[in-house]
Amino acid sequence: MKEGHLPVLADEVMSTLAPAPGSLQIDATVGGGGHTERILEASSPDGRLLGLDADGAAIARVDKRLRPAYGDRLVLRQANFREIGAVAPEAGFDAVDGCLFDLGLSSFQLADTDRGFGIRAGGPLDMRFDTARGVSAAELLATLDATELTALFRRYGEEPQAGRIARAIVEARKTGPVATAEELAALVERVAPGNPRGRRRIHPATRVFQALRIAVNEELDALQEALAAAVDLLKPGGRLVVLSYHSLEDRIVKRFFQAERRGCICPPELPVCVCGRNPRLRLVTRRSATPSQTEIAANPRARSARLRAAERLAA
Ligand SMILES: C[S@@+](CC[C@H](N)C(=O)[O-])C[C@H]1O[C@@H](n2cnc3c(N)ncnc32)[C@H](O)[C@@H]1O
């Protein structure tokens, strides 16, 4: 891709999914279509891919860019991946060889000055992946009280100054709404500037922005629901690959894989299993994969990425 979003850990994703000709694959987070394109290329001439994204602009962009080369091998749907269990079978993808989740947001979204995802890009604080559904970040900032805002920044941003920032927002609302990314970034910088001598130069509002985006899109609940549904869609031997970008996501993926690998979910104090669940996954690699320094230098967004992969066992 000349501009836009560089796919993260692309070689590792490809060697793990190993998409063969004739296979059926799902890319649950199409974004800029970088992974989608690699999968379609590798599964030529007749592999098919279902691409989902909650963001209609992402779907339209990828449709325009990849349709001419891949025709009806590429099936696109604007959908939240928490609906994958219904959307995929409807599109003919009910027993698939691979399913990829590349979580979070794309460089296109981060740079969009109309959506407020990026501290640098600025703009109205919307932050919804699907702009037709749900409540914007500005609305949350305008309606939650200080206790609720504190909990949100702590839970989804692990922000140590959550209380101070929340109280400053409620105070600022008395004179006018905190409605743009610029206003929010300046407010956080003023009340919780962080350590100016810190080694990593991340903006002090980074954790607050992450927390709002996760809350607006109910990202953690959506992930939990989607992982379970994706396992149902995999053929025996089919692979589930997840790229996460912060510890809250990665913890969900790791725990989910562990639980599906064990099968039984009975409390340890029970002498015999009563849940009757069998293991459904085996781990492809024990440890998560992370990007090389070379990849991080070329694509700083890859910095915090972790790849985990598991394979569906025969029933
Ligand atoms: C990191 S980008 C994917 C980039 C893509 N792999 C590429 O190579 O270009 C993540 C994408 O997932 C989408 N997304 C995030 N959460 C989603 C959800 N719950 N349902 C559907 N799409 C989601 C975002 O809109 C964004 O476009």
Side-chain angles (χ1 to χ4, degrees), residues 5 7 27-35 52-55 58 79-81 102-106 109 129 222 301:
H5 188 96
D27 183 346
T29 50
V30 158
H35 290 113
L52 308 180
D53 206 294
D55 186 343
N80 194 301
F81 58 53
D102 178 16
L103 301 171
L105 77 171
S106 72
Q109 291 163 329
F129 291 138
R301 217 191 63 84

Side-chain angles (χ1 to χ4, degrees), residues 19-278:
S23 65
L24 286 185
Q25 308 284 336
I26 300 177
D27 183 346
T29 50
V30 158
H35 290 113
T36 289
E37 186 173 15
R38 292 279 304 261
I39 295 168
L40 283 165
E41 244 168 55
S43 60
S44 286
D46 55 352
R48 298 181 75 228
L49 179 142
L50 169 65
L52 308 180
D53 206 294
D55 186 343
I59 293 291
R61 194 182 304 112
V62 170
D63 193 24
K64 189 167 169 219
R65 191 168 75 81
L66 299 184
R67 180 76 57 207
Y70 298 103
D72 62 9
R73 292 180 53 209
L74 170 63
V75 180
L76 290 170
R77 297 280 186 274
Q78 181 187 358
N80 194 301
F81 58 53
R82 73 198 308 174
E83 292 153 15
I84 196 170
V87 174
E90 262 170 39
F93 288 72
D94 52 0
V96 303
D97 300 277
C99 182
L100 170 67
F101 289 84
D102 178 16
L103 301 171
L105 77 171
S106 72
S107 306
F108 291 102
Q109 291 163 329
L110 201 57
D112 190 332
T113 53
D114 289 331
R115 299 176 73 177
F117 283 113
I119 296 174
R120 252 187 254 147
L125 279 169
D126 188 316
M127 290 196 182
R128 290 171 298 170
F129 291 138
D130 179 347
T131 51
R133 285 205 225 174
V135 171
S136 72
E139 243 173 296
L140 286 184
L141 290 181
T143 52
L144 298 185
D145 65 25
T147 311
E148 291 166 326
L149 285 172
T150 304
L152 189 155
F153 298 147
R154 268 208 196 114
R155 179 156 181 225
Y156 298 137
E158 299 177 320
E159 169 54 64
Q161 304 286 344
R164 182 189 288 250
I165 296 166
R167 286 191 297 277
I169 290 168
V170 171
E171 190 55 34
R173 282 189 330 218
K174 291 180 184 160
T175 49
V178 181
T180 67
E182 291 89 336
E183 284 162 353
L184 180 62
L187 179 147
V188 175
E189 201 164 14
R190 182 167 50 77
V191 301
N195 176 5
R197 286 198 294 275
R199 268 191 305 134
R200 287 178 59 200
R201 288 194 332 251
I202 65 160
H203 193 284
T206 303
R207 286 182 294 267
V208 165
F209 272 66
Q210 172 188 302
L212 276 171
R213 199 200 76 217
I214 292 176
V216 162
N217 296 293
E218 300 177 351
E219 289 181 33
L220 304 184
D221 290 344
L223 175 60
Q224 191 79 51
E225 288 169 30
L227 290 175
V231 176
D232 289 338
L233 295 169
L234 289 176
K235 288 179 187 165
R239 289 193 165 180
L240 177 56
V241 177
V242 187
L243 292 177
S244 60
Y245 293 87
H246 54 78
S247 56
L248 299 171
E249 287 171 345
D250 185 54
R251 205 173 303 149
I252 290 176
V253 180
K254 187 174 164 187
R255 287 189 182 157
F256 176 79
F257 281 6
Q258 275 166 355
E260 290 290 351
R261 183 176 157 234
R262 256 197 328 266
C264 173
I265 52 164
C266 294
E269 56 275 16
L270 283 187
V272 288
C273 168
V274 293
C275 76
R277 285 169 55 121
N278 291 317

